[in-house]
Amino acid sequence: MSELHGKRVVLGVTGGVAAYKAAELARLLVKAGAEIDVVLTDAGAHFVGAPTFQAITGRPVWHNLWDSRMDNAMAHIDLSRGADVILIAPATADFLAKLTHGMADDLLSTLCLARDCPLLVAPAMNRQMWQSPATQRNVAQLGIDGVSVFGPASGEQACGETGAGRMLEASEILDELIAFFQPKLLNNQRVLITAGPTFEAIDPVRGLTNASSGKMGFALARACVEAGAQVRLVAGPVVLDTPRGAMRIDVTSAAQMRDAVMQAVDDADVFIGVAAVADYRPVGNAVHKIKKTAAMSIDLVANPDILAEVASRPNAPFCVGFAAESQNLASYAEGKRVAKKLPLVVGNLVQDGLGGDQNAVTLFDANGAHPLSQGHKLAVARDIVKHLATLISKGNSDAQN
Ligand code: PMT
């Protein structure tokens, strides 16, 4: 997905060993469609040379305030003119201190001071430098000044120590940047989401499950975080990375999913049931592996309907259901919306949405059916968030009619 298409990013690289990750970051930014101008400090250029960035971005690299390539000798003005954002990665303790105090003694710091666009920093330093009162004061001040701080992460450091101060990985910074550009449609909303399949054990090695990968639910969790929501994600057994900023609760069975949801639902403004919850579970769960016989039968009992239970609570959150159908999508999805008294149901055909990276959905609400463009699940999730935010802001009190 060209998620940064049309965005102009000034990427500032200061002198830390994490500068090697900035080369990968530049590559990812270019791949995401952004136009990149790299600005190196003298120390940054000691770690990774200008030719590397020039080859990756296909554009000149800058590091001198007096660079004669700029016609008007005003690189500090021209580079930030028209930029959508200045991103400093890595941002050393020294550079953060400079930013805090408005110093302007090289091209990058002067550019930051003269900017007319948001400034984002990804700190990278030794854990003691990060924890030092001076750095913490500086970071707090930068926050007050409207600078966004990405990370740092905790972990093993180049100096051999372990702790907070590592720069985020290039892909994580890219995700943060993409999120930064998304409209904050769900600011202050607390969203609870279920995702993935459930697994209903028959015995210690066998069970009933389905082909849900969790991708749609995880994409929605990410889209909600990007939109400014506080997100809790109750996930069935899937192998997916947790979207940055979401709090994940792992469960296996429908009963565990129900319990996790009920524990969290009091603090939710919105509940989105994306999970493909098993409708039935085996009666009993054999402690030992069932031995093979010529024929076998399993008695099943219905699982609790989590979404229906949440939607029927006295102070129910705004509830969104999903419906995956193999036929008659409109009538079945609308039927589920009415039966469970939901303001919004997202309908998808099994063949479009189950397992893959793409989906094609139609939204069903009190005003009828709204087909969305087919696309990557994250793009579809962002479109669902837009519709959801509109319904919430309208207050849609008559949505269940
Ligand atoms: O995970 P992916 O591979 O990305 O695939 C995504 C998906 C196809 C699974 C997803 O987009 C989807 O459609 N999920 C709902 C699947 C479905 O049809 O569920 P259902 O018809 O059984 O349930 C309808 C709604 O009630 C759903 O919101 C479901 O989460 C909820 N439900 C159902 C049963 C139950 N016991 N508890 C529930 O909460």
Side-chain angles (χ1 to χ4, degrees):
M1 293 167 73
S2 298
E3 297 179 281
L4 295 178
H5 180 72
K7 299 288 182 206
R8 251 201 72 208
V9 178
V10 173
L11 174 61
V13 180
T14 69
V17 70
Y20 79 90
K21 293 184 189 173
E24 171 67 358
L25 176 59
R27 191 187 70 80
L28 294 178
L29 291 171
V30 169
K31 203 170 157 207
E35 189 177 279
I36 315 294
D37 283 313
V38 174
V39 180
L40 294 170
T41 62
D42 285 349
H46 276 293
F47 285 92
V48 184
T52 302
F53 288 108
Q54 188 166 347
I56 291 170
T57 62
R59 295 171 62 82
V61 172
W62 307 89
H63 74 268
N64 187 346
L65 200 46
W66 313 109
D67 199 312
S68 58
R69 288 173 296 176
M70 222 37 114
D71 291 343
N72 57 4
M74 290 199 194
H76 65 294
I77 303 290
D78 284 9
L79 281 169
S80 68
R81 202 172 265 167
D84 291 290
V85 78
I86 299 178
L87 167 63
I88 313 291
T92 59
D94 175 65
F95 199 76
L96 293 179
K98 271 175 143 175
L99 286 177
T100 307
H101 296 287
M103 289 176 68
D105 60 357
D106 64 5
L107 176 57
L108 187 57
S109 54
T110 310
L111 195 56
C112 290
L113 200 59
R115 78 185 188 279
D116 187 20
C117 65
L119 175 59
L120 320 174
V121 295
M125 67 199 73
N126 159 272
R127 69 179 175 85
Q128 271 156 336
M129 293 173 83
W130 173 249
Q131 279 160 3
S132 78
T135 301
Q136 289 302 308
R137 262 198 318 273
N138 291 341
V139 170
Q141 184 58 49
L142 288 173
I144 293 167
D145 293 346
V147 176
S148 298
V149 182
F150 295 168
S154 265
E156 209 176 296
Q157 302 202 305
C159 56
E161 296 180 6
T162 303
R166 273 173 67 92
M167 189 171 88
L168 296 183
E169 296 305 321
S171 61
E172 294 173 319
I173 296 174
L174 176 72
D175 286 352
E176 291 281 2
L177 184 62
I178 291 168
F180 177 84
F181 284 121
Q182 298 306 314
K184 302 299 167 224
L185 299 172
L186 294 180
N187 248 348
N188 302 322
Q189 295 286 336
R190 297 163 304 167
V191 180
L192 178 61
I193 300 178
T194 63
T198 63
F199 180 90
E200 313 298 327
I202 297 170
D203 68 14
V205 294
R206 304 181 181 93
L208 301 176
T209 187
N210 59 62
S212 167
S213 62
K215 289 176 187 171
M216 191 66 235
F218 276 54
L220 252 168
R222 176 170 166 185
C224 290
V225 171
E226 289 177 348
Q230 191 191 100
V231 176
R232 271 167 306 164
L233 174 62
V234 181
V238 295
V239 278
L240 294 174
D241 291 336
T242 309
R244 282 185 61 71
M247 194 199 129
R248 175 173 178 170
I249 305 150
D250 282 315
V251 298
T252 302
S253 65
Q256 289 170 357
M257 186 172 272
R258 181 223 166 254
D259 290 349
V261 166
M262 292 310 152
Q263 269 187 29
V265 72
D266 280 338
D267 296 322
D269 304 304
V270 178
F271 175 68
I272 311 179
V274 194
V277 186
D279 288 319
Y280 300 94
R281 67 179 182 278
V283 177
N285 172 5
V287 179
H288 295 293
K289 184 177 172 188
I290 299 169
K291 300 313 285 179
K292 197 160 106 182
T293 51
M296 176 185 178
S297 65
I298 305 169
D299 288 332
L300 300 175
V301 61
N303 269 326
D305 190 316
I306 305 165
L307 178 58
E309 191 175 338
V310 171
S312 62
R313 287 167 65 91
N315 286 318
F318 187 99
C319 284
V320 181
F322 266 68
E325 307 295 345
S326 56
Q327 57 176 346
N328 304 329
L329 181 63
S331 62
Y332 288 159
E334 178 62 10
K336 281 180 188 174
R337 191 183 81 80
V338 172
K340 296 194 191 188
K341 298 194 169 65
L342 306 172
L344 178 63
V345 160
V346 181
N348 44 187
L349 287 170
V350 169
Q351 51 272 37
D352 288 336
L354 195 66
D357 291 328
Q358 304 268 321
N359 205 355
V361 309
T362 299
L363 307 184
F364 298 88
D365 63 19
N367 299 316
H370 314 272
L372 300 183
S373 308
Q374 174 164 7
H376 192 278
K377 281 180 177 168
L378 182 57
V380 171
R382 287 183 184 138
D383 286 345
I384 295 171
V385 164
K386 269 186 215 148
H387 196 89
L388 169 65
T390 308
L391 290 183
I392 292 173
S393 68
K394 269 190 202 155
N396 222 332
S397 52
D398 60 347
Q400 294 170 16
N401 300 328

